[in-house]
Amino acid sequence: MAEQKQSKVSTFVNQHILPPVMKFVNTKAITALQNGMIYTLPFIIIGSIFLLLGNLPVQSWANAVNASGWGAFFNQAYTVTFNVMSLWASIGIAYVYVKNEGYEPLAPGLTSCATFLMLQTLNIANPLKTALTSGIKNGNDVVMSAKTVTENIDKLPHAMQTFLEAPVTGVVNITWLGGDGMIAAIICGLLVGWIYSSIMKAGWTIKLPKQVPPAVSNQFTAMIPSGIILISAMFIYAAFNAFAHTDFLQWVYTTLQIPLQGISDSFGGALAIGFLVPFFWFFGVHGGLIVGSLAGPMLQANSFDNAQLYKAGKLTIANGAHVVTNEFYNNFINLTGSGITIGLIIFTVVAAKSIQLKSIGKLELVPGIFNINEPFLFGLPIVMNPFLAIPFFLTPVVVAASTYFVIKTGIVPPLNGFACPWTVPAIISGALIGGWKIAVWQACTLVISTLIYWPFAKKYDNILLKREAAKKAQEAKGATK
């Protein structure tokens, strides 16, 4: 009866839910977003190593780094890798979009980069005024309050006031090159990729004779589509500057990114991510790719914000740290693989009696340690298996909810933004992304997984054992004949 009910549910999902989801996931835009964001990963992972080296919470190490001057070098390396993730995303997304359309992709990738930079105001507030208006201190003693400083600035000569009011121009504000510019980078990448490809399809290009080397002719081919895009970007910048008194990146951040980050960082967002990954996997669709392509940019932006707070020594919920980050997704919701199947692995190795579970458990043990569980998903299988559906759906949701709770309430610290590769084993990854408390909590989640999977795995093992015994008896009966 249970299998028949499961079959009806599977049929409904496969006929009415998965087709539109897969149609959306396979669109040109989502494919470009999913594959284009991959180009940011080397810079994020390498940059987060520099972040960790420059900010290890070990006093002796911190003293040595600061005394030697290596802190500045680590910060420089972090700034031009992790700290400009949105810049890499804008290039990668446009690159993949145009490449999938069959055109030379480097020029549109660079065009997207130029567009992304053009749409922001290339200046920063005068750092001298910023420093002064925050108050004047001598050590921990306040010499002059911010209010007093501001009042006295108004009494300065006009030339001095003009100097303090004038922003520093001719610079790139790296604030928008990091996580805060992620949504704007995605918009730039997708629009540049689409517009560039459309112009190429329309044939609005400069065509040179075949005798001209491709390296030269490709650049002339790119001149018209790139020119149209960059000129349009200039007018967009001018319009925002004139009518909204802001720039496109600031507007996108305020109206789109802040609300989206809020949703991704909510308790409901954590539960939704925890459920949807195994839900899609259960029906044979790569849940990690679907959820990661949609939620990944916001989770990476959350990680970036936490990394900035960690770097400043202010990583607390009270200071605005996020709970749900990319590491929350990789190193908790998907710990030991989608569905957090470590509990199932432990059962198969320790208590399984059926040949099927024992053999597949031995095969999955080592990959499971490194967060790879495809042997279980398709070999056990878990996909379309009604006996293991409940723990497969329930475990990530329980871990997501409990992890959200322990971080939000301060039992364990927020994750520090270190982009730990998803293949790093549990407990080790916990120590890297949040210290010993997070490592201990990761160990607790392994216990949670075992407790949830164990009764269902035991029941399934008994069913398999009976099937194997019946098959063996049937074979023996056939042999006697």
Side-chain angles (χ1 to χ4, degrees):
M1 182 67 69
E3 291 187 12
Q4 290 179 353
K5 186 177 181 180
Q6 184 70 33
S7 178
K8 291 181 179 179
V9 173
S10 301
T11 301
F12 176 81
V13 170
N14 283 317
Q15 290 182 353
H16 300 286
I17 296 179
L18 288 182
V21 169
M22 293 309 300
K23 185 177 180 180
F24 173 73
V25 169
N26 290 324
T27 58
K28 295 176 182 179
I30 297 300
T31 301
L33 172 61
Q34 175 183 303
N35 296 330
M37 289 293 295
I38 292 174
Y39 286 95
T40 68
L41 290 182
F43 303 101
I44 291 174
I45 292 173
I46 294 170
S48 62
I49 293 173
F50 293 120
L51 170 68
L52 200 61
L53 288 174
N55 298 275
L56 277 176
V58 179
Q59 194 58 47
S60 58
W61 174 267
N63 293 339
V65 166
N66 292 331
S68 64
W70 274 96
F73 303 145
F74 290 144
N75 185 61
Q76 175 84 349
Y78 164 77
T79 298
V80 298
T81 51
F82 191 116
N83 210 23
V84 291
M85 64 165 70
S86 292
L87 188 66
W88 309 133
S90 70
I91 297 170
I93 293 168
Y95 181 96
V96 171
Y97 194 109
V98 176
K99 184 180 180 181
N100 290 344
E101 291 293 296
Y103 301 108
E104 201 283 322
L106 181 57
L110 297 177
T111 301
S112 179
C113 174
T115 301
F116 181 61
L117 294 175
M118 189 180 294
L119 291 173
Q120 67 165 284
T121 303
L122 297 181
N123 64 46
I124 58 174
N126 192 317
L128 179 58
K129 182 180 180 182
T130 302
L132 287 174
T133 52
S134 62
I136 300 175
K137 296 182 179 180
N138 182 14
N140 293 325
D141 298 325
V142 177
V143 177
M144 190 176 291
S145 68
K147 180 180 178 181
T148 304
V149 171
T150 303
E151 291 172 349
N152 280 277
I153 285 178
D154 295 337
K155 299 176 183 178
L156 291 173
H158 179 71
M160 183 64 73
Q161 291 185 41
T162 302
F163 170 76
L164 291 176
E165 291 293 339
V168 179
T169 58
V171 296
V172 176
N173 188 348
I174 63 172
T175 298
W176 302 118
L177 305 188
D180 289 352
M182 184 59 72
I183 291 296
I186 291 171
I187 293 173
C188 287
L190 293 177
L191 285 178
V192 168
W194 173 64
I195 295 170
Y196 190 98
S197 300
S198 299
I199 294 173
M200 293 293 289
K201 290 177 182 178
W204 298 357
T205 60
I206 299 174
K207 295 181 174 61
L208 297 180
K210 292 182 179 180
Q211 292 79 7
V212 177
V216 176
S217 63
N218 284 340
Q219 306 319 309
F220 278 89
T221 300
M223 198 168 295
I224 290 179
S226 293
I228 292 173
I229 291 168
L230 293 174
I231 291 170
S232 301
M234 180 193 68
F235 281 115
I236 292 172
Y237 171 77
F240 272 91
N241 186 269
F243 301 110
H245 306 293
T246 184
D247 60 47
F248 178 76
L249 272 67
Q250 176 71 61
W251 180 80
V252 169
Y253 178 73
T254 303
T255 58
L256 294 178
Q257 183 156 330
I258 290 178
L260 288 174
Q261 281 190 253
I263 293 171
S264 70
D265 191 35
S266 66
F267 182 69
L271 295 185
I273 294 171
F275 173 75
L276 288 174
V277 172
F279 174 80
F280 287 117
W281 262 122
F282 184 78
F283 297 99
V285 181
H286 200 305
L289 288 179
I290 294 175
V291 177
S293 62
L294 298 176
M298 289 302 91
L299 298 181
Q300 285 190 358
N302 292 347
S303 292
F304 175 83
D305 290 345
N306 279 19
Q308 295 295 86
L309 290 171
Y310 177 70
K311 183 170 176 286
K314 299 178 180 179
L315 185 62
T316 64
I317 295 297
N319 287 326
H322 298 285
V323 175
V324 186
T325 65
N326 205 46
E327 291 65 51
F328 186 103
Y329 172 71
N330 284 331
N331 303 112
F332 280 102
I333 288 177
N334 287 332
L335 191 65
T336 71
S338 299
I340 317 180
T341 51
I342 184 64
L344 192 53
I345 294 174
I346 292 172
F347 175 85
T348 58
V349 173
V350 173
K353 297 178 181 179
S354 65
I355 296 174
Q356 181 175 334
L357 281 191
K358 286 194 292 185
S359 58
I360 199 69
K362 293 177 182 177
L363 181 65
E364 168 60 17
L365 179 60
V366 174
I369 293 173
F370 296 95
N371 306 314
I372 301 168
N373 68 344
E374 275 76 4
F376 261 3
L377 294 176
F378 298 104
L380 192 59
I382 292 177
V383 171
M384 301 296 288
N385 187 337
F387 298 104
L388 297 174
I390 292 177
F392 189 60
F393 291 160
L394 182 62
T395 305
V397 173
V398 171
V399 168
S402 56
T403 303
Y404 188 96
F405 173 78
V406 297
I407 294 177
K408 192 72 172 179
T409 56
I411 296 174
V412 301
L415 306 182
N416 60 23
F418 178 81
C420 185
W422 61 270
T423 52
V424 174
I427 300 176
I428 297 175
S429 64
L432 291 172
I433 65 176
W436 69 268
K437 288 185 178 180
I438 292 294
V440 170
W441 177 248
Q442 264 193 343
C444 293
T445 64
L446 304 184
V447 175
I448 292 172
S449 171
T450 304
L451 293 175
I452 294 175
Y453 272 102
W454 195 279
F456 295 93
K458 185 175 182 180
K459 183 176 180 180
Y460 185 51
D461 185 51
N462 290 334
I463 292 172
L464 292 179
L465 196 62
K466 291 179 181 179
R467 288 178 181 175
E468 290 171 357
K471 183 178 180 181
K472 188 175 181 179
Q474 188 176 7
E475 290 174 350
K477 184 177 180 180
T480 57
K481 291 182 179 180

